[in-house]
Amino acid sequence: MILIRKCSLLGCYYGNGMGYIGTINITRSGKKCQPWSSQCPHRHIHKPKNYKELMNATNWCRNPGGEGPDGPWCYTTESTTRWEYCDIPKCSNPGFYFYICNRIHCKVNAT
């Protein structure tokens, strides 16, 4: 085995959400997320080339660099709202699921 990594399998996040890898793209107030690769309507410094957690994230909620203390967030597509936290619950049992990966495949183990 090469890697053991906590993952968000149930649509929730652990800690500050920096490791969240889900596909939710809606904020707590229901706004759609702006793609991370876009600078419109909001210009920003969080470019996928500078944050590995943003690679292939399209417009999915993330917490690049762990900057948001209250979980994954995104820039919104509404010009009047720059960014918001996303509508993702915090996981209640941080050690419950793990991906156990080797060079060929990943499987899910419950602990």
Side-chain angles (χ1 to χ4, degrees):
M1 296 294 160
I2 294 175
L3 174 67
I4 298 177
R5 178 175 54 145
K6 292 181 185 175
C7 297
S8 300
L9 300 175
L10 302 174
C12 61
Y13 68 92
Y14 299 104
N16 67 3
M18 187 173 166
Y20 174 73
I21 57 170
T23 58
I24 293 173
N25 61 359
I26 300 294
T27 68
R28 290 179 184 167
S29 69
K31 293 176 177 64
K32 185 177 176 185
C33 293
Q34 170 182 312
W36 292 100
S37 60
S38 176
Q39 294 292 319
C40 184
H42 305 288
R43 296 190 58 77
H44 61 88
I45 61 167
H46 297 98
K47 298 176 182 171
K49 69 179 183 177
N50 299 329
Y51 294 87
K52 64 180 172 120
E53 57 269 39
L54 298 180
M55 297 301 292
N56 301 315
T58 63
N59 70 332
W60 299 330
C61 300
R62 294 292 186 263
N63 189 2
E67 294 173 13
D70 294 324
W73 58 277
C74 68
Y75 294 103
T76 76
T77 57
E78 295 187 16
S79 60
T80 57
T81 306
R82 183 168 170 76
W83 71 275
E84 282 188 2
Y85 284 105
C86 292
D87 191 21
I88 306 167
K90 192 165 187 175
C91 297
S92 61
N93 189 351
F96 191 68
Y97 286 100
F98 293 87
Y99 271 139
I100 299 179
C101 304
N102 61 27
R103 290 185 179 167
I104 300 170
H105 68 281
C106 293
K107 66 179 182 174
V108 176
N109 275 9
T111 59

